Amino acid sequence: MGGGAPISIQSMTNTDTRNAEATVKQILELENAGCEIVRSSVYDERCVEVLPQIISKIHIPLVADIHFDYRLAIGAIKAGVAKVRINPGNIGSEAGVRKLAECASAYGVPIRIGVNGGSLEKELLQKYGVCAEAMVESAQRHAELLENCGFSDIVVSLKASDPVTTVRAYRLASQIMPYPLHIGVTEAGMGETALLKSAIGIGSLLIDGIGDTVRVSMTGGVLQEVEAAKKILRAVGLRNDGADVVSCPTCGRTRVNLEEIVKKVRAALPEDTGNAIKIAVMGCAVNGPGEAREADIGIAFGSVNAVVFKKGEIIYSDKLPQVVDRFIADASEMMKRK
C-alpha cells in the first residue's frame, strides 16, 4: 500500500475471533465480495493462539486490531499477522510501544497508528477538545516514538464520527506526514446514514488524492461495507471494474415509468461484472440522447418508443415494451465481450 499502489478495500470481522471457524468463514465471504485487507480484534491470549489457524485458511492480509495491551500486538506479530493496528489513546506506556516497535521491525510487520476522535489522550482533549489538530498531534507523537526506535514502516488513520472533522484531520496529516493513510469515517451508523457520511468523508478525500486504503464503517453485516467501498471508489473514478448504470432523475417530460425500467435493467445487469461498462437509461429527449451517446450503451425514451446508442452511434429505434428487453440483451452481450 502507498507508493502509487491501487487503493485497497478493507473491512473488519465481527465474529468472536476466538472462534476460528466462524472467523475464517466470514473472511472468505469478505474475500468473495471483493475485500482486499481484513482486520480482526485481538483482545486476549486465546485470540492470539488461533491466529495461525485463521491465517492458514485465508488469502488476504490479516491485520490484528489491538487495544490496551501491547503484548497482544507482539503475540499477534509472532503468530503471523500482516500488520498490527494500535490506538495511541489506549495502548499503554512508551516502554511498551518501544518493545512493540522492536518486535515489528524484527518480523518486518508494519504498524498502523489508528487515531479515533472518541479515544484521544486526556492531555490532548484538555488542550484542544476533539478536533483535527488534536487527532493529528496524537498520530505525530506516536509516529515520532516509533521513528525514534528506528521504525518507519507506519500507516496512519485519523477517524472521527463526523465527516467534516475526519476530512480536516486527513487533509492536515497529508501535508505534514509522509506515511500511507487508511481512510474512513468511524462509528458512522447504519444503512443510508453510514453510507452518506462515508461517501462525503471518503469521497472528498479520494477526490483530493488522499488515501491508500479504505474502510466504510457500517453497523450490521460486514459484506455491506465492501459493496459500499466499491461504490464510492467507482463514483470517484478509482475503480472501473463493474457496470455503471446512470439514469436521469425524471421530470414532467418523462412519459415512461423510468424507475421500473431502471430497476429491471439493474437486476438483469449486475454492477460487479469484472468489466468496466457505462450504461445510460434516460427518460426523455432533452439530456437523454447526449448521455446515451457518452455511454458504452444507452437508451433514451420518448412516449412510445426509444432510441438505443452504442459508443455514440444510433443502432436502432424500437417500441415499448420490447425495446427494453432488446436493450438488456445487447448490454449483456457487450459486457461479455468488453
Side-chain angles (χ1 to χ4, degrees):
M1 60 179 292
I7 294 171
S8 300
I9 295 174
Q10 287 199 34
S11 187
M12 186 172 182
T13 57
N14 61 11
T15 56
D16 183 342
T17 307
R18 296 170 295 188
N19 185 337
E21 183 178 355
T23 302
V24 167
K25 181 176 181 293
Q26 189 170 82
I27 293 173
L28 294 177
E29 291 172 347
L30 284 165
E31 288 181 17
N32 289 333
C35 184
E36 294 156 326
I37 300 173
V38 67
R39 180 160 49 112
S40 292
S41 295
V42 176
Y43 39 85
D44 61 21
E45 287 295 336
R46 179 57 185 157
C47 291
V48 174
E49 290 173 7
V50 302
L51 286 174
Q53 182 180 345
I54 294 171
I55 293 166
S56 69
K57 295 178 180 178
I58 65 175
H59 312 93
I60 58 177
L62 179 65
V63 180
D65 188 81
I66 312 292
H67 295 268
F68 309 118
D69 190 346
Y70 74 91
R71 293 169 296 185
L72 293 175
I74 291 174
I77 290 171
K78 293 179 177 179
V81 297
K83 181 169 68 179
V84 295
R85 180 265 180 155
I86 61 171
N87 187 323
N90 64 31
I91 196 59
S93 69
E94 181 176 320
V97 174
R98 287 183 178 275
K99 291 179 182 178
L100 171 58
E102 291 171 0
C103 179
S105 181
Y107 281 79
V109 172
I111 295 174
R112 168 150 75 96
I113 298 170
V115 177
N116 273 6
S119 56
L120 288 166
E121 297 95 314
K122 291 180 181 179
E123 60 269 28
L124 290 176
L125 287 174
Q126 293 171 352
K127 180 179 178 180
Y128 294 104
V130 178
C131 64
E133 290 77 11
M135 294 168 67
V136 173
E137 184 169 325
S138 177
Q140 282 182 298
R141 287 184 181 184
H142 280 259
E144 289 171 3
L145 175 56
L146 293 174
E147 290 165 356
N148 291 337
C149 299
F151 188 86
S152 60
D153 196 0
I154 298 169
V155 182
V156 173
S157 64
L158 306 123
K159 298 182 181 182
S161 58
D162 73 277
V164 175
T165 302
T166 298
V167 169
R168 287 174 177 167
Y170 279 109
R171 284 176 175 166
L172 178 58
S174 71
Q175 296 171 3
I176 60 178
M177 302 185 79
Y179 299 116
L181 297 173
H182 168 67
I183 63 174
V185 179
T186 192
E187 299 154 359
M190 291 183 66
E192 185 179 76
T193 298
L195 185 57
L196 286 171
K197 286 184 177 180
S198 297
I200 292 167
I202 294 171
S204 297
L205 293 168
L206 292 174
I207 290 170
D208 285 350
I210 298 170
D212 299 282
T213 67
V214 170
R215 181 194 177 192
V216 177
S217 298
M218 303 179 77
T219 303
V222 295
L223 299 182
Q224 64 180 337
E225 295 188 351
V226 178
E227 183 58 34
K230 290 160 71 173
K231 288 180 177 178
I232 293 171
L233 287 167
R234 287 171 183 156
V236 297
L238 292 173
R239 286 284 174 110
N240 295 307
D241 59 353
D244 179 16
V245 179
V246 300
S247 58
C248 69
T250 73
C251 67
R253 291 184 295 268
T254 306
R255 295 292 181 264
V256 296
N257 188 336
L258 194 69
E259 181 180 359
E260 291 304 314
I261 292 171
V262 172
K263 286 179 180 178
K264 184 174 182 178
V265 171
R266 288 176 64 101
L269 307 173
E271 290 183 49
D272 189 6
T273 65
N275 296 315
I277 183 169
K278 183 176 181 179
I279 300 168
V281 184
M282 308 301 292
C284 79
V286 176
N287 293 322
E291 287 290 347
R293 288 191 184 98
E294 290 298 314
D296 292 294
I297 185 168
I299 187 167
F301 290 94
S303 56
V304 295
N305 64 353
V307 177
V308 174
F309 300 82
K310 278 188 182 178
K311 301 288 187 180
E313 299 293 331
I314 296 175
I315 57 171
Y316 60 82
S317 176
D318 203 349
K319 293 183 178 181
L320 290 163
Q322 65 264 23
V323 66
V324 176
D325 293 329
R326 186 176 174 185
F327 173 73
I328 289 171
D330 288 340
S332 298
E333 185 62 29
M334 179 176 283
M335 287 162 56
K336 294 175 184 177
R337 296 196 310 264
K338 191 173 175 64

